[in-house]
Amino acid sequence: MRTDPGGSRGLDDYLTRDYAHNIGAEIMGRNKFGPQRGPWHNHEWRGWWGDEPPFRTPVFVMTHHKRPSFTLSDTTFHFVDGDPARVLEQARQAAQGKDVRLGGGATTIRQFLDADLVDTLHVAVSPVKLGSGVRLWESPDELLDRFHLEVVPSPSGVTHHLFWRK
């Protein structure tokens, strides 16, 4: 970002600043929320981000293990069990006419893509190999039957894959 040493007002900065524009709710998978699997054994865990989550909207965490909603700062986390269409409807109601961001992880994004519930998608690809994880795809070409794709390299080394529905 332009405020970091060596930052600029380039593409990465623009897309970062646009991240929250017109977002009224977010959906994320359980793995993005935290490291616990299975039933909740620790209700004290309130996410990776501490007391000031960056979302500033209602967040719907998809999980098969419900827990009570809670609020940190200006973000309320709701733990929901349901298919993507049902969770999206809940998030749309909470968004009050604004957009719903699908925050990830890869498994959750795939569920929404497979259910044909995604209108636009921005994937930032960094040239760093992390070792393990869940693949979003083998190739972004897998989505070309339903989406237009623009691949935009940035001077930072990040490549932005921008998809929008045909």
Side-chain angles (χ1 to χ4, degrees):
M1 290 187 50
R2 70 179 177 275
T3 57
D4 293 340
S8 71
R9 284 195 171 266
L11 178 65
D12 298 328
D13 178 63
Y14 172 80
L15 291 170
T16 300
R17 284 185 287 123
D18 195 52
Y19 176 75
H21 177 73
N22 201 46
I23 299 298
E26 174 151 340
I27 297 170
M28 70 174 62
R30 168 93 180 257
N31 293 350
K32 180 177 177 183
F33 177 79
Q36 298 180 21
R37 304 295 175 262
W40 296 95
H41 297 294
N42 180 1
H43 283 239
E44 297 302 313
W45 174 261
R46 295 180 168 253
W48 299 105
W49 31 81
D51 293 335
E52 293 287 330
F55 309 107
R56 297 179 174 83
T57 66
V59 174
F60 294 83
V61 180
M62 293 181 68
T63 176
H64 297 296
H65 303 279
K66 288 187 173 184
R67 69 181 268 188
S69 298
F70 65 84
T71 300
L72 291 174
S73 185
D74 49 4
T75 301
T76 299
F77 292 92
H78 304 280
F79 300 86
V80 296
D81 183 12
D83 64 72
R86 195 166 92 204
V87 174
L88 179 58
E89 183 53 37
Q90 290 176 296
R92 280 185 176 148
Q93 288 178 10
Q96 300 179 351
K98 292 184 175 183
D99 294 332
V100 174
R101 178 177 39 235
L102 183 56
T107 300
T108 300
I109 293 170
R110 276 309 322 183
Q111 289 175 337
F112 280 80
L113 284 168
D114 293 346
D116 204 27
L117 297 172
V118 176
D119 294 324
T120 63
L121 180 67
H122 170 213
V123 178
V125 179
S126 181
V128 175
K129 186 171 181 165
L130 298 175
S132 66
V134 177
R135 286 181 165 271
L136 184 55
W137 54 53
E138 288 298 320
S139 166
D141 293 345
E142 295 170 20
L143 302 179
L144 295 182
D145 61 327
R146 294 179 287 158
F147 293 92
H148 300 282
L149 168 62
E150 188 77 31
V151 179
V152 184
S154 169
S156 70
V158 172
T159 301
H160 298 276
H161 294 250
L162 305 166
F163 298 85
W164 63 99
R165 186 174 290 286
K166 287 185 175 179

